[in-house]
Amino acid sequence: MGRFHRHDESEHGHGHGPDAPVGDHSGYATGTDRIEILERIFDENDHTADANRRDFDQADVLAVNLMSSPGAGKTALLRETLLRLRDRLRVGIIEGDIETSIDADRLTGLGAEIALLNTANGFGGECHLDAPMVRSALSRLPLSNLDLVIVENVGNLVCPAEFHVGEHNRAMVYAITEGEEKPLKYPVMFRSVDLVLVNKVDLLPHLEFSIEDFYRNLRNVNPRVEVIETSARNGAGLDLWCSWLTARHAELAAARARPASAARISPSVSPHG
Amino acid sequence: MHELSICRAITKLVECHADGSTVRIVRLRVGELRQIVPDTLAYCWGLVTEGSDLESAALEIERVPAAIRCAGCRHVHTLTEPILVCPECQGRDVEIVSGEEFLITSLDLMEV
Ligand SMILES: Nc1nc2c(ncn2[C@@H]2O[C@H](COP(=O)(O)OP(=O)(O)OP(=O)(O)O)[C@@H](O)[C@H]2O)c(=O)[nH]1
Ligand SMILES: [Mg+2]
Ligand SMILES: [Zn+2]
């Protein structure tokens, strides 16, 4: 169940739009058979996401899916995050990159386990990570020795929002250089996340950017989202972000310590219910 | 272009349900809150099915408008822009009642 309640036809069997054809009244070519299916197209991805989620849960690992447009500052923030968390949490990073290992290289030597996922396959590479890709990276991470796995998704505001990878929480990096109207242009992404890191705030004095307009647009698509203003350049907000991660991890551990309710805590953010 | 990987997922589901029969039409229901572009989907469908058993199968896409229901005043509102606020009472506690669908609804198969 996502942040918003969903009504999915595969469970309810209704939900035709007003213009939807009802029944077959098309004088249809004979010689064909219609078979009804009603199957969710993301089912296969979601099943693998569930398997990933079980692996995270079994290893007491908090998984966070970090998304953004290209260049918003995910890798820069992760560098700073690793420097601050290294004595508190054991971190693994799944680094989604279309072609190169540049971002993975930027994160090495900071005490984290890194698994690189190149998504190029034929047509110029996938623009997102899906659950099977993350699953293949998981086999290269020593999950039982980790507390936190952050998935740096491919920089893209459209596609990653559609693919649940097994994460407990979704966060996105939004850079103030991107313009105030982004939430309205990419509502699926902005309303699928639990937290927005509003990054590059060190540039505020130099930009004609109205942070109030941005927040209004953000609340319009996602009224309950949490926000932290950050700068990977001057370190603003990074302690808050690290505390947010530490708190989510502690919540997870606390929920697991309670017998019956083990594992399923804090909003699961599956975009597909 | 996640439409490409989506088309691969659709071909898998279709092949599984068609069970060897020739498929004429694949019907999808796509909510307007999904960031899926029907034209791109149709284009990718052509790429993915070219030269395969599904080459002759056409995609038919039914769009479903996005609607919200307000928890405060129960008003149901069809969205024309992605603003999740009740237009009657300005309430923000709203539930999405349609627009997130992404399903295969039916197939037309050649009779044998
Ligand atoms: N001024 C300023 N620049 C930043 C900040 N965060 C990142 N940058 C710069 O923005 C550029 C892109 O940052 P990255 O960390 O590579 O962004 P990314 O989101 O990982 O990019 P992709 O992985 O390619 O999608 C780099 O030149 C960073 O130095 C910030 O807080 N302030
Ligand atoms: Mg990066
Ligand atoms: Zn209302």
Side-chain angles (χ1 to χ4, degrees):
Chain A
M1 218 18 143
R3 168 170 304 280
F4 293 90
H5 305 282
R6 288 169 51 92
H7 285 227
D8 210 315
E9 283 69 51
S10 58
E11 288 141 33
H12 297 265
H14 65 80
H16 282 273
D19 306 325
V22 177
D24 186 354
H25 41 194
S26 55
Y28 221 66
T30 49
T32 58
D33 259 339
R34 180 183 288 206
I35 59 171
E36 303 293 330
I37 298 184
L38 284 188
E39 191 156 342
R40 295 171 12 167
I41 289 157
F42 286 111
D43 264 2
E44 195 192 5
N45 182 73
D46 289 357
H47 286 144
T48 308
D50 287 345
N52 292 345
R53 174 67 168 256
R54 279 192 296 275
D55 287 356
F56 290 130
D57 284 336
Q58 223 151 44
D60 283 337
V61 167
L62 170 72
V64 176
N65 186 357
L66 188 64
M67 301 175 285
S68 82
S69 59
K74 297 180 297 300
T75 311
L77 284 172
L78 283 178
R79 269 190 70 84
E80 297 302 315
T81 307
L82 294 180
L83 288 170
R84 285 166 175 78
L85 281 181
R86 63 196 308 175
D87 299 324
R88 285 194 266 169
L89 294 176
R90 298 166 298 173
V91 186
I93 305 279
I94 295 177
E95 183 59 55
D97 207 329
I98 294 179
E99 295 274 7
T100 71
S101 65
I102 294 172
D103 281 359
D105 297 343
R106 284 164 70 197
L107 296 176
T108 52
L110 299 173
E113 298 284 343
I114 318 276
L116 173 65
L117 265 183
N118 281 135
T119 61
N121 64 345
F123 301 103
E126 290 289 0
C127 44
H128 62 270
L129 299 182
D130 63 19
M133 292 185 227
V134 167
R135 186 140 200 86
S136 77
L138 282 190
S139 63
R140 288 180 276 127
L141 283 179
L143 271 195
S144 53
N145 297 325
L146 298 176
D147 304 307
L148 167 67
V149 167
I150 301 181
V151 179
E152 180 180 338
N153 219 308
V154 180
N156 184 321
L157 284 182
V158 179
C159 313
E162 296 280 4
F163 293 87
H164 187 44
V165 298
E167 67 272 35
H168 297 95
N169 291 104
R170 285 187 159 197
M172 71 172 288
V173 181
Y174 160 83
I176 61 169
T177 46
E178 297 179 52
E180 297 90 347
E181 74 302 334
K182 274 289 185 314
L184 302 180
K185 287 188 178 162
Y186 301 94
V188 177
M189 171 65 77
F190 279 90
R191 72 194 170 74
S192 81
V193 299
D194 303 295
L195 172 70
V196 177
L197 299 174
V198 178
N199 192 37
K200 308 198 185 181
V201 290
D202 57 291
L203 298 177
L204 255 180
H206 310 289
L207 298 173
E208 275 182 54
F209 173 77
S210 161
I211 205 156
E212 292 76 25
D213 286 356
F214 168 72
Y215 284 137
R216 196 181 53 247
N217 294 336
L218 178 63
R219 300 286 172 210
N220 277 340
V221 302
N222 191 346
R224 275 161 287 224
V225 70
E226 293 181 70
V227 168
I228 300 174
E229 293 178 11
T230 60
S231 165
R233 196 51 62 79
N234 67 21
L238 289 171
D239 289 334
L240 273 176
W241 155 239
C242 289
S243 305
W244 188 91
L245 288 168
T246 314
R248 293 289 85 69
H249 179 259
E251 272 174 22
L252 200 66
R256 281 190 195 121
R258 285 196 299 273
S261 65
R264 292 275 154 178
I265 60 125
S266 66
S268 150
V269 290
S270 164
H272 313 125
Chain B
M1 279 256 286
H2 57 320
E3 280 85 355
L4 209 48
S5 45
I6 285 169
C7 281
R8 287 194 207 103
I10 296 173
T11 58
K12 277 195 207 163
L13 286 172
V14 170
E15 277 161 2
C16 167
H17 284 280
D19 200 19
S21 305
T22 302
V23 181
R24 280 281 186 72
I25 297 178
V26 178
R27 287 191 193 77
L28 306 181
R29 185 177 299 156
V30 183
E32 283 181 353
L33 287 171
R34 290 261 164 229
Q35 300 213 323
I36 289 159
V37 183
D39 287 349
T40 312
L41 201 62
Y43 173 73
C44 292
W45 180 252
L47 288 181
V48 165
T49 57
E50 194 176 353
S52 81
D53 288 347
L54 289 175
E55 184 156 25
S56 59
L59 271 194
E60 258 183 39
I61 300 170
E62 169 201 345
R63 296 288 269 173
V64 184
I68 54 174
R69 185 192 293 117
C70 175
C73 73
R74 312 308 293 166
H75 178 70
V76 174
H77 170 65
T78 300
L79 301 184
T80 50
E81 47 185 354
I83 294 186
L84 302 183
V85 178
C86 173
E88 290 295 314
C89 73
Q90 311 308 315
R92 285 168 184 277
D93 189 3
V94 299
E95 173 190 9
I96 291 174
V97 291
S98 72
E100 295 195 305
E101 304 73 3
F102 192 32
L103 305 161
I104 298 187
T105 50
S106 66
L107 301 179
D108 279 3
L109 307 177
M110 291 261 266
E111 259 169 17
V112 271

